[in-house]
Amino acid sequence: MSCCHCPQLKLSSMTLFNKNEDIQTVLRCATFTRLISLFLQAVLNVVIPDHVADAFSPPRSEAPLLLDPLIEALFGGLSHWDAEHFLFIAERGYIYEHNFAFFPLFPFILRLLASTLLWPLCGFLTMRGRLIITVVIGNSFLFVLSAVALYSLSRIVLQERKLAFVAVMMYCLTPANVFMLAGYSETLFATLTFAGLWMLERRYTVGACLLFGFATGARANGLVNVGFLLYLTLQRCLARARAFNKVAEGVQYHNYIWELVRFAFTGAVYAALVALPFGLFQFYGFQTFCHPTSNQIPPALVNLAQHKGYRVADAASPKPKWCHWQIPLLYSYIQDVYWDVGFLRYFQWKQIPNFILALPVATLGFKALFIYITDNPVFCMYLGLGEKGNSKKIYGFCNPRVFVYIVHNTVLLLFGIFCMHVQVLTRFLASSSPVLYWVSGHLLFKYEPLLKEEKLFRSDQTQQKKNHKPGLRCFAGMWRNNPVFYLLMHWKTCSIYTQCILGYFISYWFLGLALHCNFLPWT
């Protein structure tokens, strides 16, 4: 029998083709949404006047050059709110104490690219102008990469092609859209996190550890990714011990002891590698403010510090009080003093609008937890480490591999509600956990009859062969193979659940562009 008649090879070939075709559609859709977002933010930035906000606004270091007004008009909306901090750090470095709330990897990459790849434009654009272009190109490129990484991760974890595909299409319409486009570190963090999780699921543990370490260099909540490393490593250690016991036909406790010792050692190494960038950054802050040198700060920035009450490193001034702490963590001090972040501090009547703003993403997060626990009560009771739970073979959102992601998402959700400014919960979860997109896709499949149509997920190979126009083929294929776009085009016939979920994603997608890019409250 020839190989071409083997059913298993036919199935494998078709699976590979479907995956490649899905990735092509993901690339087109992610690119298309970036282009639309850039266009809309430029238009909205022109149509809606900027609000005069009491936000960080340092003086410009250079006089505008020829192309600076054009870049500011097209993409200036992407430099507002926290983006101003990242651009300032990329241009001037860490000068003010509160700048240390923003981790260094993202501004370092911006500065590197603006100083190298965009160096030929230095005669036409100031450093700030080149940094803004770097934000536009860099975050758009990273978003496309993160979409591919999320799809690859979803295929492995969910074991369900259709759900993985719909989930990543929802990601392309993420309610945190503006933060994935503007000068924020969310897109970089999402790319590193999703890619690291994919490598971890493929058992490339060292590579995953390195990516998680870089993610910690981009955002502080990268530290929480250690949980994935520890949990999956422990799970695999216990699986090996059980396998050895089966071979020995009895319980050999020394197998468990050896595996636990091995887990303790490797877990400590993994945790240290992930936490290393955080520790180094805190040490840099400690050296800067607790042992200051005579670095010269431009007078304009000194004047701003005096006017706004910002602290700069000064050998003649008393040391900040946090320098005398037993563990001098500058990041914790900044969150406490500058942003008033702490347990239950945001539970005030005046913050009710912000809690309403975070209500949709919180609802989906708790819904995901409820669905998973009710479907896997015994498995959850044993924390996914029992032999019974490991033998359960199901696919989709409720399969055993999703457990650790549910726990991770719930931890972030509870921390965000009780200990953070709750309005940032949407971008906090949307860039850190795939659960928001998985549960949205799961609910769409459960309650939307239109997704039962097999044509939405059918291979498009025959139709592609008939069309010899590459540009038209790519554009038509993106719409024809996209079930989420199909639902949007049939909005009136969709179920109420679909309208609520897609309505949330699309409204936040658009409102974020309109408000954030004009210095209106959407942070």
Side-chain angles (χ1 to χ4, degrees), residues 448-481:
E448 181 48 63
L450 289 177
L451 284 183
K452 302 296 190 294
E453 298 181 17
E454 191 63 30
K455 66 178 182 179
L456 293 176
F457 304 95
R458 191 178 300 155
S459 170
D460 201 38
Q461 186 179 24
T462 305
Q463 296 185 31
Q464 285 185 1
K465 288 181 178 179
K466 295 178 180 179
N467 195 330
H468 300 286
K469 298 180 180 180
L472 180 61
R473 182 173 69 240
C474 289
F475 181 78
M478 180 184 69
W479 289 86
R480 184 166 52 243
N481 297 339

Side-chain angles (χ1 to χ4, degrees), residues 99-364:
N99 290 149
F100 281 81
F102 304 92
F103 278 52
L105 183 60
F106 183 62
F108 171 78
I109 293 174
L110 291 182
R111 179 69 186 220
L112 179 65
L113 295 177
S115 302
T116 54
L117 295 181
L118 298 184
W119 177 82
L121 298 176
C122 63
F124 307 96
L125 283 170
T126 60
M127 174 56 71
R128 178 181 172 83
R130 282 178 281 150
L131 288 171
I132 292 176
I133 291 181
T134 305
V135 165
V136 173
I137 299 174
N139 271 352
S140 298
F141 176 72
L142 285 171
F143 184 85
V144 174
L145 284 183
S146 66
V148 174
L150 177 60
Y151 175 75
S152 301
L153 171 67
S154 302
R155 281 291 295 263
I156 293 177
V157 175
L158 301 176
Q159 297 290 301
E160 173 57 59
R161 176 209 165 209
K162 294 179 181 179
L163 179 55
F165 186 62
V166 170
V168 79
M169 290 299 104
M170 297 298 293
Y171 176 69
C172 291
L173 299 175
T174 174
N177 175 51
V178 68
F179 304 107
M180 306 297 241
L181 190 69
Y184 282 59
S185 58
E186 266 74 4
T187 312
L188 174 62
F189 183 79
T191 305
L192 292 169
T193 299
F194 295 157
L197 291 171
W198 173 77
M199 294 193 75
L200 186 60
E201 291 289 350
R202 293 289 303 273
R203 295 180 179 266
Y204 302 134
T205 309
V206 176
C209 195
L210 292 176
L211 289 177
F212 287 157
F214 282 117
T216 305
R219 291 186 60 82
N221 58 296
L223 290 170
V224 187
N225 289 334
V226 170
F228 289 107
L229 282 164
L230 297 180
Y231 179 81
L232 292 179
T233 301
L234 176 61
Q235 198 175 55
R236 290 162 187 171
C237 286
L238 293 176
R240 280 195 298 269
R242 293 188 189 110
F244 291 143
N245 287 338
K246 286 182 180 179
V247 173
E249 296 182 351
V251 178
Q252 303 291 327
Y253 290 104
H254 69 272
N255 289 330
Y256 286 101
I257 295 174
W258 164 245
E259 289 296 338
L260 289 176
V261 170
R262 180 178 178 180
F263 163 74
F265 176 76
T266 56
V269 172
Y270 294 153
L273 288 175
V274 174
L276 181 62
F278 180 88
L280 291 176
F281 186 53
Q282 298 309 298
F283 179 75
Y284 172 61
F286 177 81
Q287 290 296 112
T288 300
F289 284 94
C290 301
H291 301 285
T293 58
S294 57
N295 291 337
Q296 189 65 32
I297 301 175
L301 298 182
V302 174
N303 293 335
L304 179 66
Q306 294 174 347
H307 177 67
K308 292 287 188 178
Y310 301 151
R311 176 179 280 139
V312 297
D314 186 2
S317 300
K319 289 183 180 180
K321 64 179 182 180
W322 61 267
C323 291
H324 304 287
W325 291 355
Q326 188 173 3
I327 302 177
L329 287 179
L330 175 54
Y331 182 77
S332 299
Y333 173 80
I334 293 171
Q335 294 294 329
D336 176 30
V337 173
Y338 287 90
W339 275 272
D340 194 31
V341 171
F343 182 64
L344 296 182
R345 290 188 187 180
Y346 224 59
F347 279 66
Q348 305 173 26
W349 290 110
K350 65 180 181 180
Q351 302 299 346
I352 288 179
N354 287 322
F355 277 91
I356 295 174
L357 191 66
L359 183 60
V361 73
T363 301
L364 284 173

